[in-house]
Amino acid sequence: MMDWEVVIGLEVHVQLKTKSKMFCSCSTDFDSLPNENICPICTGQPGVLPKINRRAIELALIASKILNCKINRISRFARKNYFYPDLPKNYQISQYEEPIGYDGYLELPSGKRIGIMRVHQEEDTGKLLHYIGSRKLDYSLIDFNRSGIPLLEIVSKPDIRSPEEAVEYLTFLRLNLIYAGISDCDMEKGSLRCDANLSVRRKGEKELGVKVEVKNMNSFKSVKDALSYEARRQIKLLEKGEKIIQETRLWDERGGVTKSMRRKEYAHDYRYFPDPDLVELEFDEEFLNEVFSKIPELPLERRRRYIDELSLSEYEADVFISNKEASDFFEEVIKGENDKSFFKEASSWILNDLLGILNERKLSFNELKLKPEHLKELVKLKISGKITSKIGKEIFPVMLEKGEFPSKLLKELDMEQIQDEDEIRRICSCVLKENQKVVEDYKKGKKQAIGRLVGEVMKKTRGRANPRAVNEILRNLLESSP
Amino acid sequence: MIDIEHIIELARLYVTEEEREKFKKQLPEIIEFFKNLEELDTENILPIFHTLGVKNVMREDKMRKFEDRELILENAPEREEDFFKVKRVIEEI
Ligand SMILES: [Zn+2]
């Protein structure tokens, strides 16, 4: 194992975040009934003409840009020909010689750069079903809702050197695509799919080994497991003096192995040619500038801002970056604020209190009754000393449940801070009377005894007094009495 | 050398034994005929894909439902409820 180097290139498909399909106006909604979103174009009826979705092209350009790709000023669509029942036209509209972007890289947080060979635009196929529930069919069913949904194919160079690094690349690529608004990248819903090419070679060897394509990996974990297995399999064969066959293998999740795909492949004879139904795209400077001016803040930029400008810790920044929903919620809470203690407090509520509860209840941020403005008010109350930590912790679960401003809830629950200074002075005097021993200690010079007295007042007021004010009143009373 | 069997397979055509023999002779002749084009000097000429000179035809990303989807389903060679039904496709391992 030690003498070998693993070489991996990844082919990632993501579904672009558009309302309508790539070449027709059908909906891209995931939660639709079977064949609800179909029309003559995406079911390949004779005589129809495709029309390019501008938004999809913009997103492809943005993806190319953030992956540091060169942009083909003239881009074309090509037909990729093959027969398969999920492909109603018998060709897929894709790109061949003039992809939108090419020759870029993604710099991982570790600093390593993974080359990007190309970023091209294409359309999805329909979905084949082989089961109804758990019953295996002796025929197949097709749902064309997915047919024609815009996809982006991002092909990396063979720069990845381990299954772990493959996952690191995927994780960071995904994050960037989500932040840039290009795709939801939800593997469960199929809006991010990943195939890999893997070969091994002896360390120091310049030539690449024979590569095997690995498919059917449905989570980041299965990417790691499948690639680890495949690397071991190839090394074992080579050490026995056997040869690697160039082929496609499918990851069998249950068995934990890759298996040779027996489907006959005419595959690599796609007979690409420029699609005569689609005219070329030519991007001028003005168009590109306008598209690129709309690129939102990317994860590494946001991370830097959180640390440098908001003074959050690296740990806090990293948790926010990996959870865009949490980070966007935080952004709403801190909108218009510029006090560092505010940022710190808001971050702490979200990371230490909110995330745990959401995980526990399996909720997402948009299912939450608590709104950013509610938390904003809580943070303000807390840092201005209008509520104590204790009251904060008590009122927070009620805010979550009711979705209300804390000020309103505090009033309703009679947990508001006592504003009346006479009232506090009265309680303070009372506490002094009840704690003669502590008062004597204080007068003998044990100044820290005042802490106990403050505690007693807070207990009596159920935390509704401002501890700073209590401290001051107590001190005045103690100093003024003989 | 033209592999006629491969082309037939790619095109998914049903071709009789007799036709196969015929095409084996005809197809290379056709290709040969096209080679006449190679005599032209295209040294400094860029390929063009359309003669219209039209570029950048795009539509806005607006969703519109196609109202007659039932008609599409009705025209399926076979259907089961709202699915298209086809011969079993084996893609498992
Ligand atoms: Zn359609």
Side-chain angles (χ1 to χ4, degrees), chain A residues 21 24-26 37-42:
Chain A
K21 291 187 182 180
C24 64
S25 301
C26 290
N37 309 321
I38 59 171
C39 75
I41 293 174
C42 55

Side-chain angles (χ1 to χ4, degrees), chain A residues 89-353:
Chain A
K89 300 191 292 298
N90 296 332
Y91 61 85
Q92 179 190 30
I93 305 179
S94 180
Q95 295 195 289
Y96 190 55
E97 280 176 327
E98 299 96 352
I100 301 266
Y102 63 100
D103 195 19
Y105 62 88
L106 177 67
E107 188 169 318
L108 302 180
S110 67
K112 174 160 175 178
R113 283 183 180 182
I114 305 296
I116 303 290
M117 200 115 73
R118 54 190 276 136
V119 173
H120 79 242
Q121 174 96 68
E122 60 185 31
E123 56 173 345
D124 209 347
T125 62
K127 191 175 160 197
L128 282 163
L129 288 96
H130 312 287
Y131 291 85
I132 292 184
S134 60
R135 183 167 64 92
K136 195 164 186 169
L137 303 171
D138 50 16
Y139 47 89
S140 299
L141 297 174
I142 316 174
D143 178 356
F144 284 117
N145 280 345
R146 235 178 49 183
S147 171
I149 282 185
L151 294 182
L152 205 61
E153 181 171 323
I154 300 167
V155 185
S156 88
K157 292 181 183 167
D159 289 347
I160 299 166
R161 289 291 171 270
S162 70
E164 292 74 20
E165 198 169 80
V167 172
E168 193 189 338
Y169 165 79
L170 277 176
T171 306
F172 195 58
L173 175 66
R174 175 174 177 274
L175 220 49
N176 274 279
L177 296 175
I178 291 176
Y179 273 77
I182 290 164
S183 172
D184 290 328
C185 294
D186 186 338
M187 254 185 143
E188 264 170 48
K189 289 186 175 173
S191 65
L192 186 152
R193 290 166 238 160
C194 169
D195 300 329
N197 283 305
L198 185 146
S199 63
V200 299
R201 62 180 168 193
R202 293 226 176 245
K203 281 205 176 132
E205 177 69 58
K206 289 267 179 304
E207 296 280 303
L208 289 171
V210 176
K211 70 179 178 188
V212 167
E213 188 178 21
V214 184
K215 291 185 165 205
N216 198 37
M217 299 172 291
N218 298 316
S219 65
F220 284 7
K221 185 181 176 296
S222 64
V223 169
K224 185 166 159 259
D225 294 345
L227 297 183
S228 304
Y229 173 85
E230 182 57 25
R232 279 198 308 276
R233 187 187 73 86
Q234 291 187 17
I235 291 167
K236 219 184 271 174
L237 279 177
L238 291 171
E239 284 186 337
K240 275 195 286 187
E242 290 177 42
K243 282 212 168 79
I244 309 292
I245 309 161
Q246 180 161 2
E247 60 175 345
T248 299
R249 299 178 70 87
L250 299 182
W251 171 240
D252 172 9
E253 184 88 49
R254 224 173 302 162
V257 291
T258 61
K259 289 182 181 166
S260 184
M261 186 162 87
R262 271 188 243 120
R263 193 219 303 174
K264 197 170 170 193
E265 289 269 353
Y266 311 91
H268 304 289
D269 199 351
Y270 290 131
R271 294 151 293 146
Y272 284 97
F273 65 90
D275 192 319
D277 286 345
L278 293 163
V279 295
E280 64 195 27
L281 297 170
E282 187 172 349
F283 308 121
D284 59 28
E285 202 71 31
E286 196 186 342
F287 180 74
L288 290 178
N289 286 340
E290 204 216 307
V291 171
F292 297 154
S293 70
K294 288 183 265 184
I295 301 179
E297 188 179 42
L298 297 175
L300 280 188
E301 294 164 7
R302 186 170 277 193
R303 183 178 189 277
R304 205 169 306 129
R305 178 165 61 88
Y306 280 9
I307 295 169
D308 294 350
E309 290 174 33
L310 309 187
S311 298
L312 299 188
S313 70
E314 283 192 13
Y315 171 78
E316 286 172 305
D318 285 337
V319 179
F320 273 129
I321 294 315
S322 63
N323 187 337
K324 181 163 186 288
E325 278 198 324
S327 180
D328 287 345
F329 193 88
F330 176 66
E331 290 291 319
E332 288 297 312
V333 175
I334 64 167
K335 199 178 265 174
E337 306 295 332
N338 38 36
D339 179 4
K340 283 184 181 153
S341 57
F342 188 98
F343 304 142
K344 202 82 197 160
E345 184 73 23
S347 154
S348 158
W349 280 108
I350 294 171
L351 299 182
N352 302 334
D353 299 271

Side-chain angles (χ1 to χ4, degrees), chain A residues 357-382:
Chain A
I357 293 167
L358 288 175
N359 284 340
E360 204 174 287
R361 301 185 191 167
K362 300 214 176 345
L363 287 174
S364 69
F365 273 86
N366 51 29
E367 293 167 298
L368 208 54
K369 280 190 188 166
L370 178 90
K371 299 293 166 231
E373 54 269 29
H374 302 149
L375 185 57
K376 191 184 190 74
E377 196 194 65
L378 183 72
V379 173
K380 280 196 169 147
L381 290 171
K382 175 81 188 300

